[in-house]
């Protein structure tokens, strides 16, 4: 080593007056290190806060719903569009609300996923905020309408059902609108080995006699797993540190790049980008092709059974062929969830309706048809928003979508379409008080 | 680590192999190209060196070979498309229905070909002029393929490089430390500054037909800063990596936007290219020691070819032409200043200096608009928007959403503390650092923080290095 390392080259003149490591007190070095560490943390946290960086973590684990939004948390969203939003004290992507309802107020609770959560635009431009404004304008002060946004990113219909039970009814809504989206059926399928938050979702199945079965095995398994333990261990940092957010984002990106590299080496590059292959399925539906009425599953495992159907997560996935089979196979879960929610709403003296969001690129006719049937057989109002979106596409070429989510215009179109549907279906009428 | 812990005798070979691996990771077949070019130029250099002065034909054939390679890979399709455009124009003028057009060739431009071809030309010219050729093929191969400067320069001088080959035998802690600082600074410049400026410039130039005044200014300034931070960031990473291996590469930038005249700008911007153009094009053409007309002609030819070197497109030629014209005016004005004492006084005054700096920057900015725009029409639209009052919207909105201002603040603090030693006005930072005398673990912590800051400000869709396309 001595030949390799020249201890004091001429160029080190500027460092020569520094005492050698041995002379230097270890306490001084340690205190200097800690001081600089503190300084670096303060500088980086401040810089990231000013620039709106590192705050992308806003979901925390929840044993009931799998995950919920961190209350009183701010987020700067840059992935699609741009927004700086703050979640309220109840963990809603909404302004601060009181649970107690003012007399004469008509409350609409909206359940949905990231499309309705609308982090891609400023809060005032989200579909819920626009709908509230537009309905209040419509009634010209004669009635007060509040539209409460209970949507959470990556929520499936099962989680929306949990949110309805655990939070929504505290706000005494007069109407609950459930947003069902193209391919919502896929999301109710337990996704083993998925990272947080999807891996922490609770599972729902249709048991004996068509009864809804709630299964938290997947969440428990996730919580016991390494990634789950890490999320819990660093929960404070996830919630409060932007530096942690940057590290998390970098690690996530690195693992994604690594996976991409590995898969491209294996010649699977093109397949990985397809979201549906994340849970590859090979489904044999009933022989007559009808939706299965009984679906059971062992959550968190790779093999699921659905009536006469076998689902093997290892099997290759043929997109077009299996998409319809998959919907037919798993829609009974969605159907049962809609049924349970309508029952709950009835018990809480509020109206319930299902709004179907159109797909961006594909018709998804089957899912729409099944949703309509599930709603109508329970006398639940079904709002098909497809026509409104088609009309908007014809009127102006300005994009309705950023990438997957709605743009400013998309939110405005959604609010307008929903307002028309609500008025058309007479859903804004007060329900007679039960007690 | 592998480099410093490997035996001294095998380090150069290791570096050569690493350089080829680096280059071939992009497109393996082009490793053969750089190997072939290196072998040819090595043999040509030896032949010229052995035969002495009577090797003009060999030297000229060497130049033609290198320029031919550059022209084939970089300009073939440009010449074909230009010919086709002229052909189409001719057919229209002659009212002919049939248009004669040549098919374009599918050529992938080898990364950094403009840079290493210029290094080969410099090598052959200097050997022809009487300098010693590199005898050791590994040393020559390393000069040609040295990975820190392979893709986008700086354009090295072989005399400086070969002289340093001996340095690479002893680990120099200070040089390593300086290299690390430069690499981190380059990384921050590229991913936190240039990549956050790119969306502003891209949005402005993509929507040139509908730009507000402020939008157009933001887009133009954003591109001027983007290209500086992108290229100087790459240079810093390259120079830093070279320092960590015990080599010093020439500096390429010296606060170019603080230049007080256009000729001053070219002494501060892409220094290795401007000095190459001066030594191997401008001076051989006759330089400045001739009549004013000839000097102007030489300047214009140099800058037009300099523009064309950047890319095979007419907007680069226009950019070079603008700089050529600017330099001609600049030189004439300098002559005028020398004649009148009051003008000299005016330029000595701080206000005069500031005014010159602003005028120079505005000229450089105007030329950048032509450089960035896909064609002259777009450039004129952007320049028109800069001069016509109109309401701003999209680019201004993007700018307000961008984290760029905070990134600039952090970069300023880092540069002040660690990397402005060479500049007289910042010597106090060296004193401050010596006073602080940070221990090694603390310095590592500072560098880790700088790395984290760069990661934090990195946008989700980073842009490739601008100068990779040249």
């Amino acid at each position: 080593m001595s030949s390799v390392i020249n201890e004091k080259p001429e160029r080190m003149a500027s460092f020569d007056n520094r005492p050698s490591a041995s002379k230097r007190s270890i306490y001084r070095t340690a205190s200097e290190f800690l001081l600089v560490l503190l300084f670096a943390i303060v500088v980086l946290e401040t810089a990231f806060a000013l620039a709106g960086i590192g705050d992308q973590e806003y979901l925390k684990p929840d044993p009931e719903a799998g995950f919920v939004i961190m209350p009183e948390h701010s987020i700067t969203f840059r992935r699609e569009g741009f927004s700086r939003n703050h979640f309220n004290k109840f963990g809603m992507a909404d302004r601060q609300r009181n649970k107690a309802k003012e007399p004469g107020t008509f409350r609409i609770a909206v359940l949905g996923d990231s499309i309705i959560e609308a982090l891609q635009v400023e809060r005032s431009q989200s579909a819920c905020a626009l709908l509230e404004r537009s309905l209040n304008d419509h009634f010209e002060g004669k009635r007060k309408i509040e539209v409460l946004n209970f949507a959470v990113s990556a929520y499936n219909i099962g989680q929306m059902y949990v949110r309805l039970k655990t939070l929504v009814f505290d706000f005494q809504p007069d109407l609950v609108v459930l947003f069902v989206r193209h391919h919502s059926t896929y999301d109710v399928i337990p996704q083993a080995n998925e990272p947080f938050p999807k891996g922490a979702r609770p599972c729902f199945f249709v048991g004996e006699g068509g009864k809804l079965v709630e299964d938290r095995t997947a969440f428990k398994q996730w919580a016991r797993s390494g990634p789950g333990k890490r999320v819990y261990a660093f929960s404070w940092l996830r919630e409060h540190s932007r530096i942690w957010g940057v590290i998390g984002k970098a690690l996530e990106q690195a693992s994604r790049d690594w996976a991409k590299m590995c898969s491209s080496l294996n010649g699977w590059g093109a397949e990985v980008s397809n979201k549906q292959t994340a849970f590859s399925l090979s489904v044999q539906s009933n022989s007559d092709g009808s939706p299965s009425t009984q679906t059971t599953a062992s959550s968190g495992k790779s093999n699921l059974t659905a009536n006469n159907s076998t689902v093997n997560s290892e099997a290759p996935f043929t997109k077009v062929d299996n998409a319809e089979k998959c919907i037919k196979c798993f829609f009974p879960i969605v159907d049962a969830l809609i049924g349970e929610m309508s029952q709950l709403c009835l018990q809480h003296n509020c109206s319930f309706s299902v709004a179907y969001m159109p797909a961006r690129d594909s018709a998804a006719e089957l899912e729409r048809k099944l949703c309509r049937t599930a709603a109508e057989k329970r006398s639940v109002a079904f709002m098909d928003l497809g026509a409104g979106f088609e009309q908007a596409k014809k009127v102006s070429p300005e994009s309705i979508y950023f990438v997957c989510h709605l743009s400013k215009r998309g939110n405005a179109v959604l609010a307008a379409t929903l307002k028309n549907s609500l008025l058309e279906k007479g859903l804004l009428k007060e329900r007679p008080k039960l007690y | 680590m592998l480099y410093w812990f490997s035996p001294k005798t095998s380090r150069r070979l290791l570096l050569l192999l690493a350089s080829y691996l680096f280059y071939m990771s992009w497109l393996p077949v082009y490793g053969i190209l750089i190997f072939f070019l290196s072998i040819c130029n090595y043999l040509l250099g030896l032949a010229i060196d052995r035969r002495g002065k009577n090797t003009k034909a060999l030297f000229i054939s060497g130049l033609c070979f290198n320029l031919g390679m550059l022209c084939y890979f970089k300009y073939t399709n440009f010449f074909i498309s230009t010919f086709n455009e002229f052909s189409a124009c001719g057919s229209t003028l002659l009212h002919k229905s049939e248009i004669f057009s040549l098919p374009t060739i599918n050529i992938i431009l080898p990364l950094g070909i403009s840079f290493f071809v210029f290094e080969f030309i410099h090598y052959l010219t200097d050997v022809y002029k009487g300098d010693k050729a590199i005898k050791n093929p590994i040393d020559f191969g390393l000069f040609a393929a040295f990975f820190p400067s392979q893709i986008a320069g700086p354009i090295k001088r072989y005399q400086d490089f070969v002289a340093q080959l001996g340095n690479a035998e002893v680990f120099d802690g200070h040089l390593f430390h300086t290299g690390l600082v430069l690499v981190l600074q380059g990384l921050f410049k590229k991913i936190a500054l240039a990549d956050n400026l790119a969306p502003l410039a891209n949005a402005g130039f993509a929507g040139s037909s509908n730009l507000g005044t402020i939008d157009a200014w933001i887009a133009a300034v954003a591109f001027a800063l983007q290209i500086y931070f992108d290229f100087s960031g790459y240079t810093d990473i390259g120079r830093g990596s070279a320092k960590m291996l015990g080599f010093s590469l020439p500096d390429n930038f010296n606060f170019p936007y603080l230049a007080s005249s256009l000729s001053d700008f070219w002494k501060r911007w892409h220094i290795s290219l401007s000095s190459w153009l001066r030594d191997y094009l401008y001076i051989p053409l006759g330089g400045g020691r001739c009549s004013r007309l000839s000097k102007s002609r030489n300047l214009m030819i140099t800058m037009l070819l300099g523009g064309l070197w950047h890319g095979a497109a007419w907007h680069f030629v226009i950019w070079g032409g603008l700089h050529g014209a600017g330099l001609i005016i600049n030189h004439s004005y300098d002559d005028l200043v020398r004649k009148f004492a009051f003008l000299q006084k005016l330029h000595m005054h701080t206000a005069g200096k500031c005014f010159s700096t602003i005028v120079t920057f505005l000229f450089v900015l105007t030329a950048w608009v032509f450089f960035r725009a896909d064609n002259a029409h777009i450039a004129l639209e952007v320049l028109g928007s800069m001069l016509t009052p109109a309401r701003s919207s999209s680019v201004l909105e993007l700018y307000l959403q961008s984290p760029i201002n905070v990134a600039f603040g952090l970069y300023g603090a880092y540069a002040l503390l660690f990397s402005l030693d060479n500049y007289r006005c910042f010597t106090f930072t060296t004193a401050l650092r010596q006073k602080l005398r940070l221990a090694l673990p603390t310095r590592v912590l500072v560098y880790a923080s700088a790395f984290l800051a760069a990661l934090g400000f990195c946008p989700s869709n980073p842009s490739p290095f601008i100068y990779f396309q040249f």
Side-chain angles (χ1 to χ4, degrees):
Chain A
M1 279 292 286
S2 58
S3 63
V4 174
I5 299 172
N6 181 5
E7 289 296 337
K8 279 191 176 181
E10 278 179 31
R11 285 180 191 153
M12 287 192 77
S14 60
F15 288 87
D16 274 352
N17 51 0
R18 192 171 58 225
S20 68
S22 55
K23 283 181 194 168
R24 207 183 166 97
S25 150
I26 193 152
Y27 296 111
R28 199 193 145 180
T29 307
S31 55
E32 175 192 282
F33 184 85
L34 288 174
L35 206 68
V36 171
L37 179 66
L38 195 70
F39 179 73
I41 289 171
V42 170
V43 167
L44 286 180
E45 285 288 351
T46 312
F48 289 158
L50 285 171
I53 287 169
D55 55 358
Q56 77 279 2
E57 298 269 17
Y58 67 100
L59 298 172
K60 63 176 186 177
D62 177 75
E64 287 289 318
F67 50 91
V68 289
I69 293 174
M70 295 169 185
E72 298 292 1
H73 188 80
S74 295
I75 180 170
T76 310
F77 201 86
R78 292 180 202 275
R79 263 174 278 168
E80 287 173 61
F82 176 87
S83 74
R84 280 175 195 261
N85 281 320
H86 184 81
F87 301 109
N88 71 14
K89 60 186 171 191
F90 301 107
M92 293 158 62
D94 206 335
R95 64 185 164 88
Q96 295 296 353
R97 303 278 186 179
N98 288 324
K99 281 190 176 175
K101 187 168 68 173
E102 277 181 40
T105 303
F106 187 91
R107 271 188 171 171
I108 304 170
V110 180
L111 288 164
D113 62 4
S114 53
I115 299 266
I116 306 302
E117 192 188 38
L119 291 183
Q120 298 71 25
V121 295
E122 297 293 340
R123 173 107 333 122
S124 59
Q125 290 157 346
S126 71
C128 287
L130 291 173
L131 178 66
E132 184 175 282
R133 216 177 307 149
S134 147
L135 287 174
N136 281 309
D137 289 349
H138 178 82
F139 290 112
E140 295 169 331
K142 287 172 199 154
R143 289 180 71 188
K144 192 182 174 193
I145 310 282
E146 283 184 357
V147 180
L148 280 62
N149 188 349
F150 288 95
V152 180
S153 277
Y155 258 29
N156 62 19
I157 299 174
Q159 288 170 295
M160 293 175 206
Y161 163 67
V162 174
R163 197 152 170 91
L164 180 70
K165 277 198 302 184
T166 55
L167 185 68
V168 175
F169 290 128
D170 293 352
F171 289 81
Q172 306 147 52
D174 299 287
L175 168 68
V176 172
V177 180
L178 170 75
F179 268 86
V180 182
R181 192 168 54 80
H182 153 69
H183 281 181
S184 284
T185 313
Y186 289 144
D187 291 337
V188 297
I189 304 166
Q191 298 190 4
N193 305 322
E194 276 280 306
F196 185 77
K198 285 187 178 173
R201 281 170 172 166
C203 300
F204 291 86
F205 306 106
V206 182
E208 292 293 322
K211 207 178 163 195
L212 192 70
V213 179
E214 209 169 325
D215 184 352
R216 307 215 171 269
T217 323
F219 179 83
K220 284 174 189 164
Q221 278 189 349
W222 171 81
R224 278 198 296 266
S225 69
K229 281 178 186 166
R230 274 198 291 280
V231 168
Y232 273 109
F234 298 110
S235 59
W236 188 90
L237 283 172
R238 287 183 76 245
E239 207 159 332
H240 298 99
S241 169
R242 285 165 186 270
I243 294 175
W244 185 259
V246 168
I247 295 170
K249 190 181 155 197
L251 290 175
E252 191 186 309
Q253 183 66 43
S255 68
R256 216 178 300 144
D257 289 348
W258 177 253
K260 205 173 162 186
M261 198 182 79
C262 291
S263 52
S264 65
L265 285 174
N266 293 330
W268 281 89
E271 305 299 323
V272 169
S273 59
N274 186 349
K275 186 190 163 195
Q276 287 148 348
T277 52
F279 188 85
S280 14
L281 294 165
S282 169
V283 182
Q284 288 107 42
S285 61
N286 295 344
S287 51
D288 60 352
S290 61
S292 29
T293 48
Q294 278 195 327
T295 309
T296 56
S298 54
S299 60
K301 291 175 185 172
S302 56
N303 286 302
L304 311 171
T305 55
N307 201 12
N308 298 329
S309 313
T310 308
V311 182
N312 178 11
S313 68
E314 301 297 320
F317 180 72
T318 319
K319 189 179 166 187
V320 180
D321 188 32
N322 280 340
E324 286 209 344
K325 285 180 184 172
C326 181
I327 290 168
K328 282 178 184 173
C329 178
F330 287 97
F331 194 80
I333 304 174
V334 177
D335 182 73
L337 283 163
I338 290 174
E340 282 291 324
M341 282 196 245
S342 77
Q343 281 298 315
L344 276 175
C345 286
L346 209 61
Q347 285 165 21
H348 286 84
N349 191 32
C350 76
S351 307
F352 178 66
S353 69
V354 175
Y356 189 82
M357 275 287 291
R360 182 177 178 171
D361 300 317
S362 63
E365 270 307 315
L366 177 66
E367 217 170 8
R368 188 205 306 257
K369 211 171 93 186
L370 292 172
C371 266
R372 183 187 288 274
T373 312
E376 286 175 354
K377 76 179 179 193
R378 294 176 177 93
S379 306
V380 167
F382 179 77
M383 295 181 282
D384 189 345
L385 307 176
F389 275 78
E390 284 306 315
Q391 182 63 28
K393 279 179 195 169
K394 284 177 196 159
V395 171
S396 162
E398 194 191 336
S399 180
I400 290 174
Y401 295 91
F402 282 120
V403 181
C404 313
H405 296 93
L406 296 175
S407 63
K408 271 185 206 173
R409 180 164 178 260
N411 273 282
V413 168
L414 175 59
T417 313
L418 193 60
K419 178 192 162 190
N420 291 341
S421 297
L422 288 171
L423 291 169
E424 201 178 285
K425 303 259 173 189
L427 289 165
L428 299 176
K429 287 175 192 155
E430 297 272 3
R431 280 174 78 95
K433 292 267 180 277
L434 285 179
Y435 38 83
Chain B
M1 291 297 272
L2 183 69
Y3 176 76
W4 287 116
F5 283 100
S6 62
K8 280 180 195 174
T9 45
S10 59
R11 275 188 207 154
R12 288 179 203 180
L13 188 64
L14 184 75
L15 207 51
L16 183 65
L17 290 174
S19 297
Y20 269 90
L21 198 69
F22 177 72
Y23 195 76
M24 289 167 77
S25 64
W26 166 66
L27 197 64
V29 72
Y30 280 160
I32 300 166
L33 174 80
I34 196 168
F35 180 74
F36 171 69
L37 282 173
S38 301
I39 290 282
C40 291
N41 282 289
Y42 170 70
L43 294 174
L44 276 167
L46 283 183
I48 293 169
D49 191 23
R50 268 189 207 153
R51 291 192 193 175
K53 279 280 176 187
N54 304 322
T55 50
K56 196 169 184 178
L58 205 59
F59 168 62
I60 288 173
S61 61
L63 284 188
C64 291
F65 167 70
N66 282 302
L67 288 172
M69 285 304 231
L70 184 63
C71 284
Y72 171 73
F73 282 107
K74 196 164 175 175
Y75 301 108
T76 308
N77 283 332
F78 172 63
F79 292 138
I80 290 172
S81 58
T82 307
F83 172 81
N84 289 345
E85 276 168 29
F86 275 113
S87 165
C89 276
S91 301
T92 315
L93 286 173
L94 296 170
H95 303 291
K96 280 185 178 177
S97 57
E98 278 185 20
I99 301 168
F100 178 74
S101 64
L102 295 169
T104 51
I105 306 167
N106 184 22
I107 302 170
I108 302 169
L109 182 71
L111 272 179
I113 189 165
S114 312
F115 291 90
F116 54 75
V117 161
F118 269 29
E119 285 182 350
F120 289 140
I121 292 173
H122 134 75
Y123 173 72
L124 292 181
T125 311
D126 283 12
V127 172
Y128 175 68
K129 280 180 180 169
D131 283 354
K132 287 276 166 221
I134 303 173
K135 299 280 186 298
N136 186 337
I138 291 175
D139 288 357
F140 185 82
L142 196 55
F143 163 69
F146 188 55
F147 78 87
S149 65
Q150 194 180 38
I151 311 295
I155 301 167
K156 308 182 290 292
R157 299 295 170 103
Y158 85 92
Q159 296 90 337
D160 300 335
F161 186 78
V162 171
Q164 292 180 65
L165 286 170
N167 294 353
E169 288 175 2
V170 184
F171 178 79
D172 182 338
H174 179 62
L175 205 61
F176 189 88
H177 165 247
T178 319
L180 190 63
V181 169
L182 266 177
V183 169
L184 283 171
Q185 180 178 280
L187 190 73
F188 193 88
K189 276 181 178 178
K190 168 64 187 143
I191 65 176
L193 299 177
D195 286 355
N196 278 311
L197 286 161
L200 305 179
N202 294 347
F205 283 88
S208 58
S209 55
N210 195 23
L211 276 181
T213 316
I214 297 174
D215 287 343
W217 276 96
I218 292 173
V221 174
F223 180 69
L225 295 175
Q226 183 203 348
I227 195 166
Y228 169 66
F229 285 114
D230 188 282
F231 193 20
S232 74
Y234 177 82
T235 308
D236 285 349
I237 294 172
R239 291 182 66 231
S241 312
K243 275 181 194 285
M244 289 162 82
L245 297 165
F247 293 87
S248 281
L249 292 180
D251 205 352
N252 237 1
F253 297 93
N254 179 16
F255 294 101
Y257 296 140
L258 296 182
S260 57
S261 67
L262 204 55
S263 52
D264 186 26
F265 172 80
W266 279 103
K267 285 172 193 150
R268 293 161 172 263
W269 175 271
H270 203 172
I271 299 165
S272 65
L273 174 72
S274 54
S275 58
W276 191 98
L277 289 173
R278 182 196 62 208
D279 296 343
Y280 301 100
L281 188 60
Y282 179 65
I283 292 173
L285 281 170
R289 293 182 181 178
C290 47
S291 68
R292 180 174 288 182
L293 197 68
S294 305
K295 184 180 165 183
S296 302
R297 182 205 60 199
N298 298 341
L299 272 173
M300 189 52 95
I301 291 172
T302 307
M303 294 319 292
L304 282 173
L305 289 174
L308 197 60
W309 174 87
H310 279 86
W314 286 108
H315 61 105
F316 290 120
V317 181
I318 296 173
W319 174 78
L322 277 175
H323 272 278
L327 282 170
I328 293 167
I329 295 167
N330 189 178
H331 283 256
S332 308
Y333 183 70
D334 283 348
D335 293 342
L336 205 70
V337 171
R338 272 192 284 275
K339 280 180 194 165
F340 297 100
F342 80 94
L343 278 176
Q344 282 176 22
K345 264 188 188 171
L346 190 74
H347 280 280
M348 295 293 281
H349 197 270
T350 315
K353 281 179 188 169
C354 287
F355 182 72
S356 311
T357 306
I358 291 168
V359 170
T360 308
F361 178 71
L362 289 176
F363 181 85
V364 171
L365 190 69
T366 309
W368 280 138
V369 171
F370 283 93
F371 189 95
R372 170 62 180 80
D374 292 337
N375 53 53
H377 176 68
I378 292 175
L380 290 172
E381 273 183 345
V382 174
L383 289 171
S385 302
M386 285 165 79
L387 299 172
T388 320
R391 242 180 97 227
S392 300
S393 57
S394 54
V395 185
L396 178 65
E397 202 177 308
L398 266 181
Y399 170 69
L400 295 173
Q401 293 166 359
S402 165
I404 191 68
N405 291 332
V406 185
F408 270 125
L410 272 186
Y411 165 69
Y414 180 83
L416 264 179
L417 273 175
F418 295 102
S419 63
L420 296 172
D421 293 6
N422 297 339
Y423 306 106
R424 251 189 314 161
C425 50
F426 296 114
T427 44
F428 71 94
T429 62
T430 316
L432 176 73
R433 204 169 55 234
Q434 279 178 7
K435 207 171 184 181
L436 284 173
R437 281 185 264 162
L438 297 179
L440 183 68
T442 320
R443 269 188 279 153
V444 171
L445 177 69
V446 172
Y447 301 147
S449 308
F451 180 69
L452 198 64
L455 275 187
F457 281 92
C458 178
S460 49
N461 46 348
S463 332
F465 282 106
I466 294 175
Y467 265 70
F468 273 17
Q469 61 184 299
F470 308 140

